[in-house]
Amino acid sequence: MTRINENYLKLKASYLFSDIAKRVSAFQEANPDKPIIKLGIGDVTEPLPQTCRDALHEAVDAMGTSKGFHGYGPEQGYDFLREAIAKNDFQARGADIDPSEIFVSDGAKCDSGNIQEIFAQDIKIAVPDPVYPVYVDTNVMAGRTGNNVNDRYEGFVYLESTPNNGYIPSVPDEKVDLIYLCFPNNPTGATANRDQLKAWVDYAKSCEAFILFDAAYVAFIRDESLPQTIYEIEGAKDVAIEFRSFSKNAGFTGTRCAYTVIPKGLMAKDSSGAGHSVHALWNRRHCTKFNGVSYPVQKAAEAVYSDAGKSEIKALTDFYLENAKIVRSAVEELGLSCVGGDNSPYIWVNAQRPSWDFFDTLLNEAGVVTTPGAGFGTCGEGHIRISAFNSRQNVEEAMQRIKNALTARA
Ligand code: MLT
């Protein structure tokens, strides 16, 4: 009989959001008349911006003509999109990123999950706690950890985000090789300022480590003093890879487009100590395993950078941030503390009780789905994450239902 990759047996039985979906379905089956409002998984709800839709339509029409037809495109993405990204997301912020350093893809989840493939098996990896589960599970699948003991995998260095450090982890005391960071953070919504990011870049330089920087939620930053790409930080081009997405800014969760920046100067070594370009390795991997994002979707992504697109994206993210404000103020009215929601669509609530219990209370008594913090790691225990991705009416109603349920209990 064919043998399996036994590293998969170390994983928790299912992905966090599948676990939640199962509990929600069970509740719905038992209570068919109780309408549920979902503020759990961070999936957008508002329609695609008009500018993106127009670009999509136009590209689809072009594909119906001999002249405008596009077959396989460049695996790294079309130049029109890579140039728009480099100019608007990086050069406009003083970050010297060249279009050729950008790899267009179908998701930041896939890229942040797959990037580990190009690194050695026995490297030391630091992951935040709480954490976006993809960073952890993909390394477990690849065999870079031991077993899960008390909800932590042997072999990882965990970077704790707690109320004591304002949910921003400090650099570890020991040397690591790869560091996953995400700001604005998923799940906590916390943001790192320039000094905090600089400390990470300096640390990475000092131990010749790489930072894998997930900036999928950057479009929600409103505080202009906060960095909007890690490459605004001096020295970051020598140590950092950045992941971005069109999912949360332009509502592309169902349309699929993202990108990864790998500076050409990033070098990693083989077992003999010889240096190799990380950009070249990822390019090799990307061309082997990926055939590019479709032409119409890349045209829709390019439209995000037009003047009309920029103002639609701003309005869309403002809309979710207003939802986040409603969530925050309801949480505070209930006497609970929280972070996030000001430069992020996620609100991280210190529930002061076991997080799956609180999740169940909110589901069963208010009909509201959230995400239990413990599902993101041991430091998430005692917290829940509330997502601001929903209609205004649903967010208002959900928070009213939560207030009613919790005050009735008090
Ligand atoms: C989340 O809820 O954490 C997000 O949906 C994750 C993702 O974008 O994959």
Side-chain angles (χ1 to χ4, degrees), residues 70 86 132 345:
H70 288 73
Y132 178 41

Side-chain angles (χ1 to χ4, degrees), residues 15 17 40-43 109 132 134 186 217 248 346 376 385:
Y15 188 61
F17 292 105
I41 194 165
D43 193 5
K109 178 178 185 173
Y132 178 41
V134 172
N186 180 14
Y217 297 92
K248 316 290 160 127
Y346 295 131
F376 296 107
R385 189 191 76 177

Side-chain angles (χ1 to χ4, degrees), residues 116-133:
Q116 45 77 27
E117 277 185 29
I118 61 171
F119 297 107
Q121 203 60 23
D122 56 355
I123 56 171
K124 191 88 172 159
I125 295 183
V127 291
D129 179 4
V131 65
Y132 178 41

